[in-house]
């Protein structure tokens, strides 16, 4: 009869075998998720949403450390939070991919993983490209390149540091994007590109994702990038060209004194496709007639939750909320009062009527972009992909619709006077005598809009930059 010590040893051996089997990447992986064969310096795994890209990177690092090929490696995320939450501690991160025996010790304060065999993986953020300038590595992994703010600088510094060992290499994953820096990386000598489709990994996803997201987008050009992992050039017949967006991108918003009006446009989910997003776009127009896209967001949530988010954005930017008053916009307007009361945020809203086709509504923004008068503040990759891939006849993407409403209202809606104002905010409309400033004789602070008839919509909120508004009014 076996002793207690022998039984514990046998049980531990069985657990190790089971652990190894559950983490056997040769069995669990698909061919597209494994490192390419042959000679290469850069491997880019272009994949759709949920295609298993992050897991492939973690497993590539794990294999090289286990075989002793990598001793000093780099883990680079789009941000420090992405590196920690996705690449290290996430369900497809390094820690989850390793067996108990080979799992490294994560030291957040030192920004590194210490492997049992002595290898070290250093953790970096692509938001800090200068930190990649000095260190040397023999292997590097980087996730979601399209989201790297300083992509070119970060990649250059990282690749210049791959000078240790006999065969230093870099493996990267991304959802396709038209960013020029990403295109340039694809064309570098020694780069190998493989593709992983969302459909390849559907068995490991929630059924709701298939029903609400995949089925909704399938058949559109956007699905070719977001689901199938294809890099798309400008689509013939699309309203926008990527170069228009790249050439006029900015890193700073306009000066407050130059801003004539700011709006937050909403595009509710239409209820037809279960994967549709509740979308919003925030933009402003300057006295020079340039439009700046400040925010673009979408979420699959309840209308009330989404409206509270929109109220927060509008309050932060001092904006008016704009909602189309037909179709699904009407019940949305009815929820604004409730969202405002529950959140304690009060902003003006405005109903607009859009009788034109979606393409005609988007043409205002396209014309501005081509003339160099539409500027994106930072990157809004999903919106930009929608702009450059949608053609008339396709399902109209949600973020594109929100931006079209936003820009059209700024360009054609004027700056007040005669617009239909909502009851989501206590407001008064007063005639302003010639020569008077908007707040003279008015005990309420803050001006939201000024029309050609010199009438103002005054809301019950303070505004600290009255000097800037006074300068704008007199101009």
């Amino acid at each position: 009869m076996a002793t207690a010590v022998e039984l514990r040893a046998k049980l531990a051996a069985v657990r190790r075998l089971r652990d190894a089997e559950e983490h056997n990447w040769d069995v669990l992986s698909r061919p597209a998720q494994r490192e390419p064969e042959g000679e290469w310096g850069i491997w880019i795994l272009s994949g759709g949403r949920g295609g298993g890209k992050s897991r492939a990177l973690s497993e590539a690092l794990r294999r090289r450390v286990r075989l002793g090929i990598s001793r000093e490696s780099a883990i680079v995320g789009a941000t420090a939070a992405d590196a920690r939450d996705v690449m290290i501690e996430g369900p497809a991160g390094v820690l989850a991919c390793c067996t108990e025996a080979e799992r490294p010790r994560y030291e957040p304060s030192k920004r590194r993983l210490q492997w049992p065999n002595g290898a070290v993986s250093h953790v970096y953020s692509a938001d800090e490209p200068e930190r990649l300038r000095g260190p040397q590595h023999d292997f590097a992994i980087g996730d979601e390149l399209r989201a790297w703010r300083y992509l070119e600088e970060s990649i250059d510094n990282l690749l210049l540091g791959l000078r240790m060992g006999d065969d230093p290499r870099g493996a990267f994953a991304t959802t396709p994007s038209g960013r020029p820096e990403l295109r340039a990386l694809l064309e570098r000598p020694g780069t190998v590109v493989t593709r992983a489709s969302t459909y390849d990994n559907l068995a490991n996803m929630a059924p709701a994702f298939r029903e609400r997201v995949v089925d909704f987008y399938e058949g559109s050009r956007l699905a070719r990038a977001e689901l199938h992992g294809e890099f798309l050039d400008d689509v013939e017949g699309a309203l926008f060209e990527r170069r228009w967006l790249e050439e006029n991108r900015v890193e700073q918003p306009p000066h407050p004194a130059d801003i004539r009006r700011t709006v937050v446009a909403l595009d509710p989910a239409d209820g037809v496709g279960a994967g549709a997003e509740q979308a919003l776009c925030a933009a402003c127009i300057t006295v020079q007639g340039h439009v700046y896209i400040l925010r673009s967001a979408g979420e699959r949530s309840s209308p009330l939750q989404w409206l509270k988010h929109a109220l927060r954005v509008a309050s932060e930017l001092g904006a008016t909320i704009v909602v189309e008053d037909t179709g699904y916009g009407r019940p949305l307007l009815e929820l604004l009062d409730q969202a405002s009361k529950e959140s304690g945020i009060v902003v003006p809203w405005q109903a607009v009527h859009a009788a034109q086709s979606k393409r005609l509504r988007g043409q205002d923004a396209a014309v501005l972009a081509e003339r160099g008068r539409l500027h994106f503040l930072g990157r809004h990759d999903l919106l930009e992909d929608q702009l450059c891939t949608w053609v008339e006849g396709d399902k109209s993407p949600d973020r594109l619709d929100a931006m079209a409403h936003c820009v059209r209202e700024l360009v054609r809606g004027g700056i007040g006077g005669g617009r239909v104002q909502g009851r989501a905010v206590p407001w008064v409309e007063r005639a302003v005598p010639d020569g008077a400033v908007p707040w003279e004789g008015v005990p309420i602070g803050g001006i939201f809009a000024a029309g050609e008839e010199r009438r103002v919509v005054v809301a019950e909120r303070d505004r600290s930059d009255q000097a800037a508004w006074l300068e704008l009014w007199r101009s």
Side-chain angles (χ1 to χ4, degrees):
M1 179 178 291
T3 64
V5 174
E6 292 173 335
L7 288 174
R8 284 196 293 270
K10 288 182 179 180
L11 180 60
V14 170
R15 287 174 175 170
R16 285 195 298 271
L17 288 174
R18 181 176 179 180
D19 193 19
E21 186 63 26
E22 290 177 347
H23 292 83
N24 188 340
W25 187 237
D26 291 335
V27 174
L28 298 174
S29 63
R30 305 185 308 273
Q33 292 179 291
R34 302 171 196 151
E35 292 182 53
E37 297 180 355
E39 294 294 325
W40 53 269
I42 301 172
W43 171 35
I44 296 181
L45 177 56
S46 170
R49 302 292 184 94
K53 304 184 297 296
S54 299
R55 177 70 183 270
L57 293 182
S58 299
E59 294 288 354
L61 175 60
R62 173 195 172 199
R63 186 185 78 86
R64 287 180 167 263
V65 170
R66 183 177 68 248
L67 296 178
I69 301 173
S70 175
R71 303 295 296 174
E72 293 281 341
S73 55
I75 299 173
V76 188
T79 66
D82 289 329
R84 178 190 66 242
D85 299 339
V86 178
M87 303 183 72
I88 297 174
E89 297 181 331
V94 174
L95 298 182
C97 292
C98 294
T99 63
E100 183 178 354
E102 64 184 349
R103 186 169 295 126
R105 183 176 71 255
Y106 179 34
E107 300 176 305
S109 61
K110 296 181 180 180
R111 301 197 300 180
R112 73 181 185 187
L113 295 178
Q114 187 72 50
W115 297 80
N117 65 359
V120 178
S121 296
H122 304 274
V123 185
Y124 302 94
S125 165
D127 270 348
E128 301 175 296
E130 287 300 315
R131 289 186 176 273
L132 292 165
R133 182 174 292 276
Q136 301 180 62
H137 310 99
D138 52 36
F139 187 60
I141 59 172
D143 200 16
E144 207 53 75
L145 292 180
R146 66 176 292 169
W148 289 21
R149 183 182 303 180
Y150 308 107
L151 177 56
E152 183 176 18
E153 186 177 359
S154 297
I155 283 292
D156 285 343
N157 287 340
L158 179 60
L159 295 182
L160 288 171
L162 287 178
R163 51 182 187 265
M164 295 184 67
D166 298 328
D167 187 19
R169 301 186 180 192
F172 306 96
T174 187
T175 308
S177 167
R179 294 185 63 175
E181 312 98 301
L182 187 52
R183 291 280 185 177
L185 183 61
L186 297 177
E187 297 170 0
R188 286 200 186 202
T191 297
V192 173
V193 181
T194 61
R195 193 166 75 231
S197 167
T198 300
Y199 291 94
D200 297 334
N201 203 35
L202 278 182
N204 297 316
M205 301 182 198
F209 178 82
R210 298 197 296 269
E211 297 170 1
R212 298 175 183 173
V213 181
V214 176
D215 292 345
F216 175 77
Y217 284 108
E218 188 49 68
S220 69
R221 285 171 175 79
L222 185 64
R224 291 172 56 191
E226 297 294 328
L227 301 181
H228 296 282
E230 297 180 29
F231 282 90
L232 301 180
D233 294 317
D234 287 331
V235 174
E236 183 178 355
L239 283 173
F240 288 77
E241 295 182 15
R242 294 189 186 275
R243 63 181 180 86
W244 299 346
L245 308 181
E246 294 294 344
E247 291 170 359
N248 297 291
R249 196 181 306 279
V250 297
E251 294 297 329
Q252 296 293 331
H255 191 277
D258 291 330
I259 297 176
R260 193 171 71 189
R261 190 185 183 206
T262 304
V263 300
V264 174
L266 307 182
D267 185 71
D270 58 14
V272 176
E277 287 185 319
Q278 313 274 14
L280 69 82
C281 180
C284 67
I285 188 169
T286 66
V287 292
Q288 297 83 13
H290 286 246
V291 173
Y292 290 77
I293 304 300
L294 307 175
R295 307 276 181 88
S296 174
E299 56 187 67
R300 295 177 179 88
S301 62
S302 70
L304 190 61
Q305 178 182 335
W306 169 58
L307 284 174
K308 290 179 181 179
H309 174 62
L311 286 167
R312 289 192 295 270
V313 173
S315 177
E316 179 184 341
L317 298 176
T320 298
I321 290 180
V322 174
V323 184
E324 187 179 358
D325 64 357
T326 57
Y328 290 87
R330 288 192 182 277
L332 190 68
L333 296 177
E334 297 173 2
L335 287 174
L336 267 175
D337 281 333
Q338 180 182 347
S340 181
K341 290 176 183 177
E342 291 185 6
S343 65
I345 300 173
V346 181
V347 299
W349 61 259
Q350 183 170 301
V352 298
H353 180 68
Q356 302 86 2
S357 69
K358 295 181 183 296
R359 184 176 182 85
L360 286 176
R361 275 182 264 167
Q363 282 181 348
D364 287 328
V367 170
L368 285 175
E370 187 173 8
R371 295 173 60 194
R373 300 172 74 87
L374 180 70
H375 310 274
F376 277 65
L377 177 63
R379 306 207 66 88
H380 305 277
D381 287 322
L382 186 53
L383 170 61
E384 294 173 31
D385 283 346
Q386 291 182 357
L387 294 176
C388 296
T389 59
W390 181 78
V391 296
E392 197 163 16
D394 279 357
K395 294 176 181 176
S396 183
D398 25 52
R399 301 193 190 201
L400 182 154
D401 285 345
M403 196 205 77
H405 285 309
C406 203
V407 175
R408 191 169 182 84
E409 176 59 24
L410 288 172
V411 173
R412 297 176 180 263
I415 52 173
R419 308 300 292 170
V420 180
Q421 298 291 336
R423 61 183 180 278
V425 60
W427 62 276
V428 294
E429 191 174 75
R430 302 174 184 272
V432 181
D434 289 339
V437 297
W439 47 81
E440 279 184 345
V442 180
I444 305 173
I447 151 180
F448 280 99
E452 294 179 358
E453 298 86 10
R454 299 181 73 80
R455 301 175 69 83
V456 295
V457 177
V458 183
E460 292 184 7
R461 58 177 290 174
D462 295 328
R463 190 169 190 100
S464 59
D465 55 345
Q466 288 189 348
W469 281 95
L470 176 60
E471 179 183 349
L472 173 58
W473 180 264
R474 287 175 171 167
S475 66

